[in-house]
CSV table of all heavy atoms in Angstrom, one decimal:
chain,number,residue,atom,x,y,z
A,1,GLU,N,0.9,-1.2,0.0
A,1,GLU,CA,0.0,0.0,0.0
A,1,GLU,C,0.9,1.2,0.0
A,1,GLU,O,2.0,1.2,0.6
A,1,GLU,CB,-0.9,0.0,1.3
A,1,GLU,CG,-2.0,-1.0,1.2
A,1,GLU,CD,-3.3,-0.4,0.5
A,1,GLU,OE1,-3.1,0.5,-0.4
A,1,GLU,OE2,-4.4,-0.8,0.8
A,2,TYR,N,0.5,2.3,-0.7
A,2,TYR,CA,1.3,3.5,-0.8
A,2,TYR,C,0.6,4.7,-0.1
A,2,TYR,O,-0.6,4.9,-0.3
A,2,TYR,CB,1.5,3.8,-2.3
A,2,TYR,CG,2.1,2.6,-3.1
A,2,TYR,CD1,1.4,1.7,-3.8
A,2,TYR,CD2,3.5,2.5,-3.0
A,2,TYR,CE1,2.0,0.7,-4.4
A,2,TYR,CE2,4.1,1.4,-3.7
A,2,TYR,CZ,3.3,0.5,-4.4
A,2,TYR,OH,3.9,-0.6,-5.0
A,3,PHE,N,1.4,5.4,0.6
A,3,PHE,CA,0.9,6.5,1.4
A,3,PHE,C,1.8,7.8,1.2
A,3,PHE,O,3.0,7.6,1.0
A,3,PHE,CB,0.9,6.2,2.9
A,3,PHE,CG,-0.1,5.1,3.3
A,3,PHE,CD1,0.2,3.8,3.2
A,3,PHE,CD2,-1.3,5.5,3.9
A,3,PHE,CE1,-0.6,2.8,3.6
A,3,PHE,CE2,-2.2,4.5,4.3
A,3,PHE,CZ,-1.9,3.1,4.1
A,4,GLY,N,1.2,8.9,1.3
A,4,GLY,CA,1.9,10.2,1.3
A,4,GLY,C,1.4,11.0,2.5
A,4,GLY,O,0.2,11.4,2.6
A,5,LEU,N,2.3,11.3,3.5
A,5,LEU,CA,1.8,11.9,4.7
A,5,LEU,C,2.5,13.3,4.9
A,5,LEU,O,3.8,13.4,4.7
A,5,LEU,CB,2.1,11.1,5.9
A,5,LEU,CG,1.3,9.8,6.1
A,5,LEU,CD1,2.1,8.6,5.6
A,5,LEU,CD2,0.8,9.5,7.5
A,6,GLY,N,1.8,14.3,5.2
A,6,GLY,CA,2.3,15.6,5.6
A,6,GLY,C,2.7,15.6,7.0
A,6,GLY,O,2.6,14.6,7.7
A,7,ALA,N,3.1,16.8,7.5
A,7,ALA,CA,3.4,16.9,9.0
A,7,ALA,C,2.2,16.6,9.8
A,7,ALA,O,1.1,17.2,9.6
A,7,ALA,CB,4.0,18.3,9.2
A,8,HIS,N,2.4,15.9,10.9
A,8,HIS,CA,1.3,15.6,11.9
A,8,HIS,C,0.1,15.1,11.2
A,8,HIS,O,-1.0,15.7,11.4
A,8,HIS,CB,1.1,16.8,12.7
A,8,HIS,CG,2.3,17.3,13.5
A,8,HIS,ND1,2.8,16.5,14.6
A,8,HIS,CD2,3.1,18.4,13.4
A,8,HIS,CE1,3.9,17.2,15.1
A,8,HIS,NE2,4.1,18.3,14.3
A,9,GLU,N,0.2,14.1,10.3
A,9,GLU,CA,-1.0,13.7,9.6
A,9,GLU,C,-1.2,12.1,9.9
A,9,GLU,O,-0.2,11.4,10.0
A,9,GLU,CB,-0.8,13.9,8.1
A,9,GLU,CG,-2.1,13.5,7.3
A,9,GLU,CD,-1.9,13.8,5.8
A,9,GLU,OE1,-0.8,14.1,5.4
A,9,GLU,OE2,-2.9,13.6,5.1
A,10,GLU,N,-2.4,11.8,9.9
A,10,GLU,CA,-2.8,10.3,10.0
A,10,GLU,C,-3.8,9.9,8.9
A,10,GLU,O,-4.7,10.6,8.6
A,10,GLU,CB,-3.4,10.1,11.4
A,10,GLU,CG,-3.8,8.6,11.6
A,10,GLU,CD,-4.4,8.4,13.0
A,10,GLU,OE1,-3.6,8.3,14.0
A,10,GLU,OE2,-5.7,8.4,13.1
A,11,ILE,N,-3.4,8.8,8.3
A,11,ILE,CA,-4.3,8.3,7.2
A,11,ILE,C,-4.8,6.9,7.6
A,11,ILE,O,-4.0,6.0,8.0
A,11,ILE,CB,-3.5,8.2,5.9
A,11,ILE,CG1,-3.1,9.6,5.4
A,11,ILE,CG2,-4.4,7.5,4.8
A,11,ILE,CD1,-2.3,9.6,4.1
A,12,THR,N,-6.1,6.7,7.4
A,12,THR,CA,-6.7,5.4,7.7
A,12,THR,C,-7.4,4.9,6.5
A,12,THR,O,-8.2,5.6,5.9
A,12,THR,CB,-7.7,5.5,8.9
A,12,THR,OG1,-7.0,5.9,10.1
A,12,THR,CG2,-8.4,4.1,9.1
A,13,ARG,N,-7.1,3.7,6.1
A,13,ARG,CA,-7.8,3.0,5.0
A,13,ARG,C,-8.4,1.7,5.4
A,13,ARG,O,-7.9,1.0,6.3
A,13,ARG,CB,-6.8,2.7,3.8
A,13,ARG,CG,-6.3,4.0,3.2
A,13,ARG,CD,-5.2,3.6,2.1
A,13,ARG,NE,-4.7,4.8,1.5
A,13,ARG,CZ,-3.6,4.8,0.7
A,13,ARG,NH1,-2.9,3.6,0.5
A,13,ARG,NH2,-3.1,5.9,0.2
A,14,ARG,N,-9.6,1.5,4.8
A,14,ARG,CA,-10.3,0.2,5.1
A,14,ARG,C,-10.3,-0.7,3.9
A,14,ARG,O,-10.8,-0.3,2.9
A,14,ARG,CB,-11.8,0.5,5.6
A,14,ARG,CG,-11.8,1.0,7.0
A,14,ARG,CD,-13.2,1.5,7.4
A,14,ARG,NE,-13.3,1.8,8.8
A,14,ARG,CZ,-12.8,2.8,9.4
A,14,ARG,NH1,-12.2,3.8,8.7
A,14,ARG,NH2,-12.9,2.9,10.7
A,15,GLN,N,-9.6,-1.8,4.1
A,15,GLN,CA,-9.4,-2.7,2.9
A,15,GLN,C,-10.4,-3.9,3.0
A,15,GLN,O,-10.4,-4.7,3.9
A,15,GLN,CB,-8.0,-3.3,3.0
A,15,GLN,CG,-7.6,-4.2,1.9
A,15,GLN,CD,-7.1,-3.5,0.7
A,15,GLN,OE1,-7.9,-2.9,0.0
A,15,GLN,NE2,-5.8,-3.6,0.5
A,16,PRO,N,-11.4,-4.0,2.1
A,16,PRO,CA,-12.3,-5.1,2.1
A,16,PRO,C,-11.6,-6.4,1.8
A,16,PRO,O,-10.8,-6.5,0.8
A,16,PRO,CB,-13.4,-4.7,1.1
A,16,PRO,CG,-12.7,-3.8,0.1
A,16,PRO,CD,-11.6,-3.1,1.0
A,17,VAL,N,-11.9,-7.5,2.5
A,17,VAL,CA,-11.3,-8.8,2.3
A,17,VAL,C,-12.4,-9.8,2.3
A,17,VAL,O,-13.5,-9.5,2.9
A,17,VAL,CB,-10.2,-9.1,3.3
A,17,VAL,CG1,-9.0,-8.1,3.2
A,17,VAL,CG2,-10.7,-9.2,4.7
A,18,LYS,N,-12.1,-11.0,1.9
A,18,LYS,CA,-13.1,-12.1,1.9
A,18,LYS,C,-12.4,-13.3,2.6
A,18,LYS,O,-11.3,-13.7,2.3
A,18,LYS,CB,-13.5,-12.5,0.6
A,18,LYS,CG,-14.5,-13.6,0.6
A,18,LYS,CD,-15.0,-14.0,-0.8
A,18,LYS,CE,-16.0,-15.2,-0.8
A,18,LYS,NZ,-16.4,-15.6,-2.2
A,19,ALA,N,-13.1,-13.8,3.6
A,19,ALA,CA,-12.5,-15.0,4.4
A,19,ALA,C,-13.0,-16.3,3.6
A,19,ALA,O,-14.1,-16.8,3.8
A,19,ALA,CB,-13.1,-15.0,5.8
A,20,ALA,N,-12.1,-16.8,2.8
A,20,ALA,CA,-12.5,-17.8,1.9
A,20,ALA,C,-12.4,-19.2,2.6
A,20,ALA,O,-13.1,-20.2,2.1
A,20,ALA,CB,-11.5,-17.9,0.7
A,21,LYS,N,-11.7,-19.3,3.7
A,21,LYS,CA,-11.5,-20.6,4.3
A,21,LYS,C,-11.5,-20.5,5.8
A,21,LYS,O,-10.9,-19.5,6.3
A,21,LYS,CB,-10.2,-21.3,3.8
A,21,LYS,CG,-10.0,-22.7,4.2
A,21,LYS,CD,-8.6,-23.2,3.6
A,21,LYS,CE,-8.3,-24.6,4.1
A,21,LYS,NZ,-7.0,-25.1,3.5
A,22,ARG,N,-11.9,-21.5,6.5
A,22,ARG,CA,-11.9,-21.6,7.9
A,22,ARG,C,-10.5,-21.5,8.5
A,22,ARG,O,-9.6,-22.1,7.8
A,22,ARG,CB,-12.6,-22.9,8.4
A,22,ARG,CG,-12.5,-23.1,9.9
A,22,ARG,CD,-12.6,-24.6,10.3
A,22,ARG,NE,-11.5,-25.4,9.7
A,22,ARG,CZ,-10.3,-25.5,10.3
A,22,ARG,NH1,-10.1,-25.0,11.5
A,22,ARG,NH2,-9.3,-26.2,9.7
A,23,GLY,N,-10.3,-20.8,9.6
A,23,GLY,CA,-8.9,-20.8,10.2
A,23,GLY,C,-8.8,-19.6,11.1
A,23,GLY,O,-9.7,-18.8,11.3
A,24,TYR,N,-7.5,-19.5,11.6
A,24,TYR,CA,-7.1,-18.5,12.5
A,24,TYR,C,-6.0,-17.7,11.8
A,24,TYR,O,-4.9,-18.3,11.6
A,24,TYR,CB,-6.7,-19.0,13.9
A,24,TYR,CG,-6.1,-18.0,14.8
A,24,TYR,CD1,-7.0,-17.0,15.4
A,24,TYR,CD2,-4.8,-17.9,15.1
A,24,TYR,CE1,-6.5,-16.0,16.2
A,24,TYR,CE2,-4.3,-16.9,16.0
A,24,TYR,CZ,-5.1,-16.0,16.5
A,24,TYR,OH,-4.6,-15.0,17.4
A,25,TYR,N,-6.2,-16.5,11.4
A,25,TYR,CA,-5.3,-15.7,10.6
A,25,TYR,C,-4.7,-14.6,11.4
A,25,TYR,O,-5.5,-13.8,12.0
A,25,TYR,CB,-5.9,-15.3,9.3
A,25,TYR,CG,-6.5,-16.4,8.6
A,25,TYR,CD1,-7.9,-16.7,8.5
A,25,TYR,CD2,-5.7,-17.3,7.8
A,25,TYR,CE1,-8.4,-17.8,7.8
A,25,TYR,CE2,-6.2,-18.4,7.1
A,25,TYR,CZ,-7.5,-18.6,7.1
A,25,TYR,OH,-8.0,-19.7,6.4
A,26,LEU,N,-3.4,-14.4,11.4
A,26,LEU,CA,-2.7,-13.4,12.2
A,26,LEU,C,-1.6,-12.7,11.3
A,26,LEU,O,-0.8,-13.4,10.6
A,26,LEU,CB,-2.0,-14.1,13.4
A,26,LEU,CG,-1.3,-13.2,14.3
A,26,LEU,CD1,-2.2,-12.2,15.0
A,26,LEU,CD2,-0.5,-14.0,15.4
A,27,ILE,N,-1.7,-11.4,11.3
A,27,ILE,CA,-0.7,-10.6,10.6
A,27,ILE,C,0.3,-10.1,11.8
A,27,ILE,O,-0.2,-9.3,12.6
A,27,ILE,CB,-1.2,-9.4,9.9
A,27,ILE,CG1,-2.2,-9.9,8.8
A,27,ILE,CG2,-0.1,-8.6,9.2
A,27,ILE,CD1,-2.9,-8.7,8.1
A,28,GLU,N,1.5,-10.6,11.8
A,28,GLU,CA,2.4,-10.3,13.0
A,28,GLU,C,3.4,-9.2,12.7
A,28,GLU,O,4.0,-8.7,13.6
A,28,GLU,CB,3.1,-11.6,13.3
A,28,GLU,CG,2.2,-12.7,13.7
A,28,GLU,CD,3.0,-14.0,14.2
A,28,GLU,OE1,3.4,-14.8,13.3
A,28,GLU,OE2,3.3,-14.1,15.4
A,29,GLU,N,3.6,-8.8,11.4
A,29,GLU,CA,4.6,-7.8,11.1
A,29,GLU,C,4.3,-7.1,9.9
A,29,GLU,O,3.6,-7.6,9.0
A,29,GLU,CB,6.0,-8.5,10.9
A,29,GLU,CG,7.2,-7.7,10.8
A,29,GLU,CD,8.5,-8.4,10.6
A,29,GLU,OE1,8.8,-8.8,9.5
A,29,GLU,OE2,9.1,-8.6,11.6
A,30,ALA,N,4.6,-5.8,9.8
A,30,ALA,CA,4.5,-4.9,8.7
A,30,ALA,C,5.8,-4.2,8.5
A,30,ALA,O,6.5,-3.9,9.4
A,30,ALA,CB,3.3,-4.0,8.9
A,31,GLY,N,6.0,-3.9,7.2
A,31,GLY,CA,7.3,-3.1,6.9
A,31,GLY,C,6.9,-1.8,6.2
A,31,GLY,O,5.9,-1.7,5.6
A,32,VAL,N,7.7,-0.8,6.5
A,32,VAL,CA,7.5,0.6,5.9
A,32,VAL,C,8.8,1.0,5.2
A,32,VAL,O,9.9,0.8,5.7
A,32,VAL,CB,7.2,1.6,7.0
A,32,VAL,CG1,7.0,3.0,6.4
A,32,VAL,CG2,6.0,1.2,7.8
A,33,THR,N,8.7,1.4,3.9
A,33,THR,CA,9.8,1.8,3.1
A,33,THR,C,9.7,3.2,2.7
A,33,THR,O,8.6,3.7,2.2
A,33,THR,CB,9.9,0.9,1.8
A,33,THR,OG1,10.0,-0.5,2.2
A,33,THR,CG2,11.1,1.3,1.0
A,34,LEU,N,10.8,4.0,2.9
A,34,LEU,CA,10.9,5.4,2.4
A,34,LEU,C,12.0,5.5,1.4
A,34,LEU,O,13.2,5.2,1.8
A,34,LEU,CB,11.1,6.3,3.6
A,34,LEU,CG,11.3,7.8,3.2
A,34,LEU,CD1,10.0,8.4,2.8
A,34,LEU,CD2,11.9,8.6,4.4
A,35,PRO,N,11.7,5.9,0.1
A,35,PRO,CA,12.8,5.9,-0.8
A,35,PRO,C,13.7,7.2,-0.6
A,35,PRO,O,13.3,8.2,-0.1
A,35,PRO,CB,12.1,6.0,-2.2
A,35,PRO,CG,10.8,6.7,-1.8
A,35,PRO,CD,10.4,6.2,-0.4
A,36,ASP,N,14.9,7.1,-1.0
A,36,ASP,CA,15.8,8.2,-1.1
A,36,ASP,C,15.4,9.1,-2.3
A,36,ASP,O,15.1,8.6,-3.3
A,36,ASP,CB,17.3,7.7,-1.2
A,36,ASP,CG,18.2,8.9,-1.1
A,36,ASP,OD1,18.2,9.8,-1.9
A,36,ASP,OD2,19.0,8.9,-0.1
A,37,PHE,N,15.4,10.4,-2.0
A,37,PHE,CA,14.8,11.3,-3.1
A,37,PHE,C,15.8,11.5,-4.2
A,37,PHE,O,15.4,11.9,-5.3
A,37,PHE,CB,14.5,12.7,-2.5
A,37,PHE,CG,13.5,12.6,-1.3
A,37,PHE,CD1,13.8,13.2,-0.1
A,37,PHE,CD2,12.3,11.9,-1.5
A,37,PHE,CE1,12.9,13.1,0.9
A,37,PHE,CE2,11.4,11.8,-0.4
A,37,PHE,CZ,11.7,12.4,0.8
A,38,PHE,N,17.1,11.2,-4.1
A,38,PHE,CA,18.0,11.5,-5.1
A,38,PHE,C,18.9,10.3,-5.5
A,38,PHE,O,19.8,10.4,-6.3
A,38,PHE,CB,19.0,12.6,-4.6
A,38,PHE,CG,18.3,13.9,-4.3
A,38,PHE,CD1,18.1,14.1,-3.0
A,38,PHE,CD2,17.9,14.8,-5.3
A,38,PHE,CE1,17.4,15.3,-2.6
A,38,PHE,CE2,17.3,16.0,-4.9
A,38,PHE,CZ,17.0,16.2,-3.6
A,39,SER,N,18.4,9.1,-5.1
A,39,SER,CA,19.1,7.8,-5.5
A,39,SER,C,18.2,6.7,-5.5
A,39,SER,O,17.0,6.8,-5.1
A,39,SER,CB,20.3,7.6,-4.5
A,39,SER,OG,19.9,7.2,-3.2
A,40,ASP,N,18.7,5.5,-5.8
A,40,ASP,CA,17.8,4.3,-5.8
A,40,ASP,C,17.8,3.6,-4.5
A,40,ASP,O,17.1,2.6,-4.3
A,40,ASP,CB,18.4,3.3,-6.8
A,40,ASP,CG,18.3,3.8,-8.3
A,40,ASP,OD1,17.4,4.6,-8.5
A,40,ASP,OD2,19.1,3.4,-9.1
A,41,SER,N,18.5,4.1,-3.5
A,41,SER,CA,18.5,3.5,-2.1
A,41,SER,C,17.1,3.7,-1.4
A,41,SER,O,16.4,4.6,-1.7
A,41,SER,CB,19.7,3.9,-1.3
A,41,SER,OG,19.5,5.3,-1.1
A,42,VAL,N,16.8,2.9,-0.4
A,42,VAL,CA,15.6,3.0,0.3
A,42,VAL,C,15.9,2.9,1.8
A,42,VAL,O,16.9,2.3,2.2
A,42,VAL,CB,14.5,2.0,0.0
A,42,VAL,CG1,14.1,2.2,-1.5
A,42,VAL,CG2,15.0,0.6,0.2
A,43,ARG,N,15.0,3.5,2.6
A,43,ARG,CA,15.1,3.3,4.1
A,43,ARG,C,14.0,2.3,4.5
A,43,ARG,O,12.8,2.5,4.0
A,43,ARG,CB,15.0,4.6,4.8
A,43,ARG,CG,16.1,5.6,4.4
A,43,ARG,CD,15.8,7.0,5.0
A,43,ARG,NE,16.9,7.9,4.7
A,43,ARG,CZ,16.9,8.7,3.6
A,43,ARG,NH1,15.8,8.6,2.8
A,43,ARG,NH2,17.9,9.5,3.4
A,44,TYR,N,14.2,1.4,5.4
A,44,TYR,CA,13.2,0.4,5.8
A,44,TYR,C,13.2,0.2,7.3
A,44,TYR,O,14.2,0.2,8.0
A,44,TYR,CB,13.6,-0.9,5.1
A,44,TYR,CG,12.7,-2.0,5.3
A,44,TYR,CD1,11.5,-2.1,4.6
A,44,TYR,CD2,12.9,-3.1,6.2
A,44,TYR,CE1,10.5,-3.1,4.7
A,44,TYR,CE2,12.1,-4.1,6.4
A,44,TYR,CZ,10.9,-4.1,5.7
A,44,TYR,OH,10.0,-5.2,5.9
A,45,MET,N,11.9,0.0,7.7
A,45,MET,CA,11.7,-0.4,9.1
A,45,MET,C,10.6,-1.4,9.2
A,45,MET,O,9.7,-1.5,8.4
A,45,MET,CB,11.4,0.8,10.0
A,45,MET,CG,10.1,1.5,9.6
A,45,MET,SD,9.6,2.9,10.8
A,45,MET,CE,8.9,2.0,12.1
A,46,THR,N,10.6,-2.2,10.3
A,46,THR,CA,9.5,-3.2,10.5
A,46,THR,C,8.8,-2.8,11.8
A,46,THR,O,9.4,-2.2,12.7
A,46,THR,CB,10.1,-4.6,10.6
A,46,THR,OG1,11.0,-4.7,11.7
A,46,THR,CG2,10.8,-5.0,9.3
A,47,THR,N,7.5,-3.2,11.9
A,47,THR,CA,6.7,-2.9,13.1
A,47,THR,C,6.0,-4.2,13.4
A,47,THR,O,5.5,-4.9,12.6
A,47,THR,CB,5.7,-1.8,12.9
A,47,THR,OG1,4.8,-2.1,11.8
A,47,THR,CG2,6.4,-0.5,12.5
A,48,LYS,N,5.9,-4.5,14.7
A,48,LYS,CA,5.1,-5.7,15.2
A,48,LYS,C,3.6,-5.3,15.1
A,48,LYS,O,3.2,-4.2,15.4
A,48,LYS,CB,5.5,-6.0,16.6
A,48,LYS,CG,7.0,-6.4,16.8
A,48,LYS,CD,7.2,-7.7,16.1
A,48,LYS,CE,8.7,-8.2,16.3
A,48,LYS,NZ,8.9,-9.5,15.5
C-alpha cells in the first residue's frame, strides 16, 4: 500500500477482504519503506 503523509498527519484506509476458508489468521509484522529522493536506495523499518 502506498501513502503520502504531511506533517502531523494520520491516514486510515479500510481494505475489504473475503474470508475464503476456515482458520485463524494473524498478521504479525508490517514493513515501511521510504525511498531516497536522489538515489535508488531506500530506508526500511519493521513494526510488530
Side-chain angles (χ1 to χ4, degrees):
E1 285 274 28
Y2 302 97
F3 293 82
L5 294 98
H8 300 289
E9 185 178 8
E10 180 177 278
I11 296 177
T12 298
R13 291 178 183 166
R14 284 172 168 77
Q15 181 87 285
V17 301
K18 181 180 180 181
K21 186 179 178 182
R22 176 202 64 83
Y24 175 71
Y25 301 104
L26 181 64
I27 302 174
E28 298 182 275
E29 187 177 84
V32 180
T33 302
L34 177 71
D36 189 295
F37 303 129
F38 301 99
S39 70
D40 294 333
S41 63
V42 296
R43 301 174 178 88
Y44 182 76
M45 65 174 280
T46 59
T47 63
K48 296 294 183 182

